[in-house]
Amino acid sequence: MSVSSNQRSEVQFLCSICLDVVTDPVSTPCGHNYCKNCITQHWDDKDHCQCPVCKKVFKTRSDLDNNTFIREMSDQFRREAQQEASSSSSEQQAAKPDVPCDVCTGTKLKALKSCLVCLASYCQTHLEPHQTCSRLKRHQLMEPVENLEDRMCRKHDKPLELFCRTDQTCVCMLCSVLDHKTHELVPLREEYEGKKAELGKTEAEIQLMIQKRRLKIQELKESMKISKDAADRETAEGVQVFTALMESVQRGLYQLVEEIQDKQKTTEKQAEDFIKDLEQEISELMKRSSEVEQLSRSEDHLHLLQSFSSLKTAPPIKNWTKVRVRLPSYEGTLMRAVHQLKNTIRTQMKKLLAESELMKVQQYAVDVTLDPDTAHPDLILSVDNKQVHDSDEEKKVPDNPEIFSYCLSVLGRQSFSSGRFYFEVLVKGKSGWDLGVASESINMEGDVRLSPQDGFWTVWLTDGTEYKAIGSPPVRLHLQSVPKKVGVFVDHEGGLVSFYDVNTAALIFSSTGCCFTDKLHPYFGPGLNDGGENSAPLIICPVSHAV
């Protein structure tokens, strides 16, 4: 793994508080990872529990789950970083140029040390006098370097052994008593250690800034992805809506043209019928004209007189003086077509927008099952805990505060303390039911009052015709159609509970400004069996994401 690729991957395993690879990693309910000590101390210093990344606020201090996967990956990154650091150090060491021994003649061997007093570098053989001779042992040796002259004071030809903090320059011992005697002087090693620590701090600050910017890049990329996904969804919905509208306009145009053409064809048919009758009469009149002309030329007195009487009977003909073709009137045709199209588009727009809104909440669909431990004893639940109906048999109610002892109701097993969720219930064939959500802390004993003040947000049907939204007082609902399947949507942070007619995508009712102080459970009331009139079960359905 290259250093650059390791750094790119490592960003995904950084704690956003300490900005280092996570140690003892834990995950918050919103899915972000932190060092256990970092997030614990962060929450200890705050008035409320909030995720530092997504800013989601938790009503209660959530349990932190150990993330073994992140732990393994962070340990792996540390090992790889150490290996790369060791490899880099070796490479740097290997990259150092060999300093030749200044004493060797012919082939010069590699120097092991450089002497700051002699200003020369020595191989193992020629270094021996400095290791054995007492006078030479006092000389200052160091790792072999080139250009030893640069380490000598140019003014006094002495080794640069001190650092003048006043002038920020390296000086020799003579400089310290002559030119810098009133200045603050420290040994080179002491200043070296200080500057090295300062460089280490600077490097740490730089790395911190790098890590912060890498995290910001990740954040921006995630924002870009979220924005692109939202844009793609809106584009797809826009194409669907406008395509449907254009099809409506096209159908309206076809209907207008067809109406005009039908009127024109009717007029043409009438005129053609008149012309046909006229041509028939002309033919008969021309025949009579020929007979009259022929008889008028006869010189036979007897023949003319005998034939004249038959000419008096003229063939039946129509009086065409007042006959007219009824021309069609097109006045108002276009306006009526436009008005009808406007109404059609308005209706279709309302339907398309409702479908779009329903599809948006359907993306928050969750799998819901019934909780038998909360069901009234008279209720019958299916084996898969997806259906419930009244048995029409009264059973003894046990003394248990965790079940509905009076209301024919049951809660969903799942609970939700944040975010959004949605589920659908088939109510077809029922004359009574109530649906919605209930707070985990509701009172389930006795005659429960279904109201928001008591932790219930529901709608209900009674007598097969009357729909109401539970409130103080209840709100009567006027629905255009009878719902066969009802969708329930909850926005916990937004304080919203909405009910939808899934088949028509129509909004049945929305309760806004709700205050949820506890976990919410789906709530189901199938109603009394009513002698078989309301025996159909409430059925929790999978969400098909299609209207």
Side-chain angles (χ1 to χ4, degrees):
M1 179 184 293
S2 66
V3 174
S4 60
S5 64
N6 182 48
Q7 290 173 341
R8 286 194 299 271
S9 302
E10 184 178 347
V11 172
Q12 305 171 17
F13 302 97
L14 295 179
C15 169
S16 60
I17 297 177
C18 68
L19 298 177
D20 199 355
V21 177
V22 290
T23 302
D24 195 10
V26 292
S27 299
T28 57
C30 53
H32 295 105
N33 304 307
Y34 305 94
C35 302
K36 184 174 183 179
N37 185 56
C38 290
I39 189 65
T40 301
Q41 186 174 354
H42 179 77
W43 283 353
D44 288 341
D45 297 338
K46 301 290 183 181
D47 295 333
H48 55 270
C49 298
Q50 183 183 44
C51 176
V53 174
C54 66
K55 308 303 180 186
K56 180 169 288 186
V57 177
F58 307 111
K59 299 290 184 183
T60 58
R61 186 155 182 164
S62 306
D63 293 333
L64 298 171
D65 298 327
N66 293 323
N67 196 319
T68 55
F69 171 74
I70 299 295
R71 182 193 300 276
E72 293 172 359
M73 292 303 298
S74 61
D75 290 344
Q76 179 182 340
F77 280 127
R78 285 193 180 88
R79 290 194 297 270
E80 290 175 351
Q82 291 173 356
Q83 293 173 359
E84 288 172 359
S86 176
S87 174
S88 175
S89 176
S90 300
E91 290 173 358
Q92 291 175 0
Q93 192 68 24
K96 289 183 179 180
D98 292 340
V99 177
C101 176
D102 291 327
V103 182
C104 289
T105 58
T107 302
K108 292 184 175 292
L109 298 179
K110 177 181 177 182
L112 292 182
K113 296 289 183 180
S114 294
C115 178
L116 291 178
V117 178
C118 303
L119 294 183
S121 299
Y122 302 103
C123 65
Q124 179 64 52
T125 302
H126 295 116
L127 182 63
E128 187 175 352
H130 281 77
Q131 296 172 334
T132 57
C133 179
S134 58
R135 181 174 56 83
L136 295 178
K137 281 183 179 181
R138 291 194 295 270
H139 288 193
Q140 185 177 353
L141 299 176
M142 61 178 297
E143 293 299 315
V145 294
E146 295 178 324
N147 302 323
L148 285 171
E149 293 80 2
D150 294 339
R151 296 177 177 271
M152 302 297 291
C153 176
R154 298 184 183 278
K155 185 175 183 180
H156 304 111
D157 199 27
K158 297 291 183 181
L160 299 172
E161 301 178 83
L162 301 174
F163 183 80
C164 177
R165 288 180 173 173
T166 305
D167 293 339
Q168 291 292 302
T169 184
C170 297
V171 298
C172 68
M173 295 300 293
L174 283 177
C175 290
S176 66
V177 297
L178 297 176
D179 303 328
H180 298 264
K181 62 181 180 180
T182 60
H183 294 178
E184 181 183 2
L185 300 169
V186 293
L188 286 182
R189 176 171 291 278
E190 181 179 337
E191 187 65 21
Y192 162 81
E193 294 296 339
K195 287 293 191 289
K196 188 173 182 180
E198 187 177 334
L199 288 173
K201 183 179 179 180
T202 302
E203 174 65 14
E205 291 174 350
I206 293 173
Q207 289 300 321
L208 181 61
M209 289 189 288
I210 291 173
Q211 290 173 348
K212 285 183 177 179
R213 281 152 181 77
R214 286 174 177 168
L215 287 172
K216 179 57 70 174
I217 289 173
Q218 292 295 109
E219 178 185 330
L220 293 174
K221 286 182 177 180
E222 185 64 25
S223 298
M224 288 169 55
K225 182 180 183 302
I226 293 173
S227 176
K228 185 178 183 304
D229 291 344
D232 290 344
R233 285 195 304 272
E234 289 298 319
T235 300
E237 292 174 6
V239 169
Q240 179 183 0
V241 169
F242 278 89
T243 299
L245 293 178
M246 288 189 291
E247 290 175 352
S248 294
V249 173
Q250 194 67 40
R251 283 195 300 271
L253 175 60
Y254 288 154
Q255 291 171 359
L256 173 64
V257 172
E258 185 178 7
E259 180 182 353
I260 295 173
Q261 290 178 344
D262 286 345
K263 288 184 177 181
Q264 175 61 19
K265 287 179 181 178
T266 301
T267 302
E268 289 179 355
K269 177 66 167 57
Q270 185 183 34
E272 289 172 353
D273 289 343
F274 287 158
I275 291 172
K276 184 178 179 180
D277 291 343
L278 286 168
E279 288 177 343
Q280 180 66 32
E281 290 188 1
I282 289 172
S283 176
E284 293 177 355
L285 290 171
M286 289 180 67
K287 181 179 179 182
R288 180 172 174 77
S289 174
S290 177
E291 292 175 353
V292 170
E293 182 182 359
Q294 184 178 358
L295 186 59
S296 66
R297 292 177 182 176
S298 175
E299 298 294 336
D300 187 339
H301 300 159
L302 179 62
H303 173 71
L304 187 145
L305 293 174
Q306 290 176 339
S307 302
F308 182 79
S309 60
S310 62
L311 289 174
K312 290 183 178 179
T313 306
I317 58 175
K318 185 185 296 185
N319 184 1
W320 293 92
T321 305
K322 296 183 179 181
V323 174
R324 298 287 187 274
V325 174
R326 294 190 301 273
L327 298 178
S329 174
Y330 299 108
E331 185 176 354
T333 302
L334 179 59
M335 290 302 298
R336 286 193 302 272
V338 171
H339 182 70
Q340 182 179 356
L341 177 61
K342 182 179 178 181
N343 291 336
T344 301
I345 289 178
R346 184 185 293 112
T347 301
Q348 192 166 14
M349 272 293 297
K350 186 176 180 181
K351 183 175 183 295
L352 289 171
L353 291 175
E355 290 176 356
S356 176
E357 180 64 26
L358 180 58
M359 290 176 66
K360 286 180 179 178
V361 300
Q362 283 180 330
Q363 67 179 313
Y364 299 103
V366 294
D367 184 20
V368 173
T369 55
L370 303 171
D371 185 0
D373 295 336
T374 64
H376 187 282
D378 291 356
L379 296 181
I380 297 177
L381 278 61
S382 61
V383 177
D384 61 357
N385 290 324
K386 290 287 187 178
Q387 303 183 27
V388 59
H389 67 278
D390 178 27
S391 65
D392 207 18
E393 295 180 6
E394 292 190 11
K395 301 177 182 178
K396 185 177 180 180
V397 179
D399 185 12
N400 185 348
E402 295 184 357
I403 69 170
F404 287 97
S405 61
Y406 183 81
C407 290
L408 290 173
S409 308
V410 59
L411 295 179
R413 187 184 300 275
Q414 292 73 22
S415 64
F416 305 90
S417 58
S418 63
R420 302 171 179 176
F421 64 94
Y422 173 86
F423 61 94
E424 293 179 353
V425 182
L426 187 69
V427 298
K428 181 180 179 181
K430 295 191 65 61
S431 59
W433 49 262
D434 46 295
L435 288 172
V437 292
S439 176
E440 191 172 59
S441 58
I442 57 171
N443 175 27
M444 303 170 71
E445 293 185 287
D447 188 5
V448 177
R449 190 164 66 100
L450 300 181
S451 69
Q453 291 78 9
D454 294 291
F456 293 89
W457 293 266
T458 63
V459 294
W460 66 353
L461 166 66
T462 58
D463 300 327
T465 57
E466 188 175 11
Y467 293 90
K468 289 185 179 180
I470 301 300
S472 297
V475 179
R476 186 166 185 175
L477 306 175
H478 301 281
L479 308 184
Q480 294 182 349
S481 61
V482 176
K484 297 178 182 178
K485 187 187 293 185
V486 176
V488 182
F489 171 69
V490 177
D491 182 350
H492 202 285
E493 282 72 22
L496 173 68
V497 181
S498 297
F499 301 87
Y500 295 87
D501 181 341
V502 177
N503 297 98
T504 64
L507 177 65
I508 296 175
F509 179 76
S510 274
S511 181
T512 59
C514 305
C515 182
F516 307 126
T517 59
D518 204 350
K519 292 181 179 179
L520 295 178
H521 287 262
Y523 170 83
F524 307 87
L528 288 168
N529 186 291
D530 198 16
E533 292 293 326
N534 191 35
S535 60
L538 289 177
I539 304 175
I540 302 172
C541 305
V543 177
S544 61
H545 300 278
V547 179

